[in-house]
Amino acid sequence: MKLNRRVFLGTASAAAAALSAPAVMGQARPRVVVIGGGSGGGTAARYLATDSDGALDVTLIEPSRMYYTCYFSNLYMGGFWDFDKLGHDYGNMALRGVNIIHDWAMAVDRDAQTVTLGSGGKVSYDRLVVSPGIDFVDGAVPGWDVSKQSLMPHAYKSGTQAQLLKAQVENMREGGTYCMVAPPNPYRCPPGPYERISMVAHVLSERNPTAKILIVDPKENFSKQGLFEEGWQTHYPGMVERIGPDFGGDRVEVRPDEMEVIIDGMVEKVDVCNVIPAQKAGKIAELAGLTNDAGWAPVKPEDMRSLMDDNVFVLGDASQQGAMPKSGFSANSQAKVVSNVIRGELTGSRVFPARYSNTCWSLIATNDGVKVGASYEPGAEQIESVSSFISQTGEDAELRRQTFEESIGWYNGIVADIFG
Amino acid sequence: MPKHSLLALLMAGAVFAPAAAIAQAVPIGNPVAGAELYQYECAACHQIGEDAEHRIGPHLNRIFDRRAGSHAEFRYSEALARQGRDGLHWDFVRLDAYIENPRSLVSGTNMAYPGLEDPVERADLIAFIRAFSDQPQNIPEAAPTAFAPEVRLPPEVLAIEGDPEYGAFLSAECTTCHQRSGAHAGIPGIVGWPEEDFVVAMHAYKKRLRPHEVMQNLAQRLDDEEIAALAAYFAKLGRD
Ligand SMILES: Cc1cc2nc3c(=O)[nH]c(=O)nc-3n(C[C@H](O)[C@H](O)[C@H](O)COP(=O)(O)OP(=O)(O)OC[C@H]3O[C@@H](n4cnc5c(N)ncnc54)[C@H](O)[C@@H]3O)c2cc1C
């Protein structure tokens, strides 16, 4: 006999039965609005539209016509990936039934359940999904703000910033210094800054071998540290120096007009400076009143529902959920859980227990790929990590090449999963 | 992990976690109770938290995932230093064993501590200590923060066979890497396989007969019925 799983899964099904009534009675379809068409929001919009087969009215609000992934933007800098291949449009998503509004969400009225657009119009919702990614904390690196991002790029939201930083690295004077001001925890993509260092080192070792790389880092340690340090030693000996908090890596300020970095009072002249400031949830999450004092939007571990509002779900980098790193993979994984839950609540479809996972690949040098991954389960208060794995130091070259090829497989997989 | 302590953990979890229809991650222990125990059992020799320094024993910040005996500025016994050189890294199981009976893990250790017998107390203590080590949201490879739930769904539910709707839900975890189109590049295509081959392959990862860690990790938390549901789903996807 086939049992209905919903029976065992408690609350969601009861709510679903009540809420599914309007759709059955032929009134307006329940409305879901998604803010942000990136890894989290894009996945949610697509899954909501396709899996509900038209039973939901799904609107995506996203200002850009092309989404440029941050993932693989480091590989682009290293010359391993084309810029054009980072960009993805929303054509297929529209064909799958998502109503796409290319505009900014300016405000959310959670009582009236409406989102105000940049154009002034309003869109109403039964459930809201918020996935706006990150913004930078004002004043995090004294001397730096977004008006200086062409002198000292962050290249941490991809697109043109990545192009700019790549050009600066390629045109750096012979024997010059590339400096990265690394971010404090938490930030998107824990291994991201160090993969970037690897890619910059790759370019410099070929074009400008006497150049130096300096990392000014407020953190004691970082993800895949052993793997990166081994790789830098092997592929780029003597090129990379890292200053941690014990030597002032957490006391840094910059003077963009002079191209100076001041570390614990000592002035360093540099040629390229990549400032990756401290981060917080994308502004709209704060405007919607969904964030806490730390600047992130806290959510329930079992379904990413905002602690501030039962009708709102926050995904991806902007959320504070516990043990999952802020990554495209995590955002994609969370979006599938949210999509299943929202469909259940609005159409009465079956709701299954959350499944979260993440794998992050990094490229250290040509054909030298590494990975880290974990499985997660909802705990009582937050999402918990229950098992993890990581590539080992000293692995043979064939395995590293295969790992790199898998990362390309993953890239093509996740963008097909969202935009295909 | 010794059997009795796992049992204790599960019991500790049952007390600590609210009753829920769906199995939740099992907490390591109760960190609040652990904080109190720490004061009583360890604080005389070990500092922990902001600005902690070595005292009679080394400070215990970031002890998880650390190689044993690896603070260069601390004078360890030769016995503990040797265990470190042999590759002993501190994780839940090793900490549990060391706290239960320091000499059982490191015969010549000069940690003059008689050991803590009660497994629930040890779990609470370790849950408290865990908070001062690297967190997975920042360092994804860091030690787990909880244990996987033993049973995900009630047994009646597990009796369902090859449920395609559940398969569709579960498949979303796979399509981040394996394309629905069946494309085979970098990551193999898994669409349109005979169901039996699919099931056998998944069990081989689950049993760690096949070596790939990404797939081992994913397969580990799939039970027989879930694997069956996935096999049915991906087989059908190939026919559609
Ligand atoms: C250099 C680098 C490398 C990375 N590498 C990897 C990797 O290898 N693997 C991996 O998994 N992750 C990687 N990441 C992380 C990944 O890019 C992010 O974690 C992921 O994109 C987060 O998804 P999101 O939906 O939260 O935000 P985003 O993908 O940033 O999407 C947010 C979207 O919201 C839109 N938006 C913002 N505000 C509004 C508003 N008010 N109204 C409407 N729309 C709005 C934005 O335009 C944007 O499109 C990397 C990141 C960087 C910087």
Side-chain angles (χ1 to χ4, degrees), chain A residues 187-376:
Chain A
Y187 59 94
R188 62 166 34 161
C189 195
Y194 310 96
E195 179 184 59
R196 173 167 303 160
I197 292 296
S198 308
M199 294 295 95
V200 169
H202 171 76
V203 170
L204 292 177
S205 65
E206 292 196 333
R207 301 171 68 114
N208 189 349
T210 55
K212 292 274 175 248
I213 295 177
L214 178 65
I215 311 170
V216 187
D217 203 332
K219 302 181 294 298
E220 260 182 68
N221 59 336
F222 57 87
S223 178
K224 300 181 189 161
Q225 184 162 0
L227 296 167
F228 280 119
E229 288 177 349
E230 176 193 58
W232 297 340
Q233 200 57 44
T234 312
H235 302 292
Y236 321 113
M239 188 176 259
V240 183
E241 187 192 346
R242 176 168 170 271
I243 299 179
D246 37 350
F247 292 98
D250 56 346
R251 295 179 296 281
V252 59
E253 89 184 62
V254 295
R255 295 186 190 131
D257 297 304
E258 286 80 38
M259 286 307 285
E260 287 173 354
V261 180
I262 300 107
I263 306 157
D264 203 15
M266 299 274 288
V267 179
E268 292 280 342
K269 275 270 177 205
V270 301
D271 299 279
V272 175
C273 192
N274 176 199
V275 176
I276 310 177
Q279 298 165 22
K280 60 179 183 178
K283 188 78 183 166
I284 188 69
E286 184 187 333
L287 292 175
L290 300 170
T291 54
N292 58 18
D293 289 345
W296 304 102
V299 294
K300 292 186 182 161
E302 64 276 16
D303 58 5
M304 306 296 291
R305 195 187 302 268
S306 167
L307 296 189
M308 319 290 179
D309 190 330
D310 280 349
N311 293 322
V312 180
F313 297 78
V314 186
L315 295 182
D317 293 354
S319 67
Q320 180 180 300
Q321 35 64 28
M324 297 181 80
K326 299 184 187 300
S327 74
F329 200 122
S330 296
N332 173 267
S333 164
Q334 294 158 1
K336 291 165 182 173
V337 170
V338 166
S339 157
N340 180 250
V341 168
I342 292 181
R343 275 202 306 127
E345 289 183 3
L346 298 180
T347 72
S349 66
R350 288 156 64 194
V351 176
F352 300 111
R355 260 175 202 271
Y356 300 113
S357 55
N358 177 63
T359 303
C360 282
W361 285 267
S362 302
L363 186 62
I364 297 177
T366 308
N367 286 329
D368 190 358
V370 292
K371 61 179 181 267
V372 59
S375 300
Y376 306 89

Side-chain angles (χ1 to χ4, degrees), chain B:
Chain B
M1 184 181 322
K3 211 173 172 166
H4 61 277
S5 69
L6 175 64
L7 197 71
L9 278 166
L10 291 171
M11 281 161 52
V15 174
F16 192 54
I22 304 164
Q24 276 183 339
V26 180
I28 293 175
N30 178 350
V32 180
E36 234 175 274
L37 279 161
Y38 188 89
Q39 280 314 313
Y40 195 70
E41 301 286 333
C42 323
C45 299
H46 293 286
Q47 294 194 344
I48 196 163
E50 214 173 312
D51 301 326
E53 286 174 9
H54 302 319
R55 292 293 179 204
I56 297 169
H59 74 70
L60 295 182
N61 289 345
R62 290 186 46 215
I63 190 70
F64 271 83
D65 304 317
R66 175 182 280 282
R67 185 187 283 269
S70 62
H71 283 291
E73 339 70 79
F74 186 82
R75 284 193 51 147
Y76 293 96
S77 64
E78 174 52 26
L80 186 67
R82 194 184 69 234
Q83 292 293 324
R85 285 194 296 273
D86 288 347
L88 178 70
H89 279 70
W90 293 116
D91 57 10
F92 175 82
V93 179
R94 272 75 186 197
L95 285 168
D96 189 54
Y98 192 54
I99 297 169
E100 182 180 13
N101 177 359
R103 281 166 195 279
S104 76
L105 194 71
V106 186
S107 302
T109 183
N110 56 18
M111 166 153 126
Y113 178 70
L116 187 60
E117 218 174 299
D118 183 343
V120 177
E121 288 186 344
R122 290 201 304 276
D124 291 347
L125 193 55
I126 296 172
F128 168 73
I129 294 173
R130 176 69 191 83
F132 299 93
S133 288
D134 288 333
Q135 298 302 313
Q137 51 266 54
N138 303 322
I139 312 255
E141 63 269 30
T145 53
F147 298 98
E150 284 292 284
V151 186
R152 291 192 55 86
L153 292 171
E156 312 87 272
V157 179
L158 297 180
I160 304 170
E161 261 175 51
D163 177 341
E165 203 177 337
Y166 192 35
F169 172 73
L170 292 172
S171 75
E173 188 177 20
C174 321
T175 54
T176 309
C177 294
H178 296 284
Q179 297 190 39
R180 284 176 203 281
S181 66
H184 184 114
I187 290 179
I190 58 167
V191 168
W193 286 28
E195 288 182 41
E196 207 181 301
D197 293 2
F198 193 101
V199 168
V200 168
M202 292 303 287
H203 280 284
Y205 287 120
K206 192 174 157 99
K207 289 197 204 113
R208 300 187 177 264
L209 296 171
R210 290 194 183 201
H212 204 278
E213 281 187 300
V214 168
M215 285 305 304
Q216 286 179 346
N217 210 47
L218 285 159
Q220 199 180 299
R221 63 169 171 182
L222 293 169
D223 60 46
D224 296 0
E225 302 306 329
E226 289 169 333
I227 290 174
L230 282 162
Y233 176 82
F234 280 109
K236 182 166 179 303
L237 199 60
R239 289 195 298 272
D240 291 347

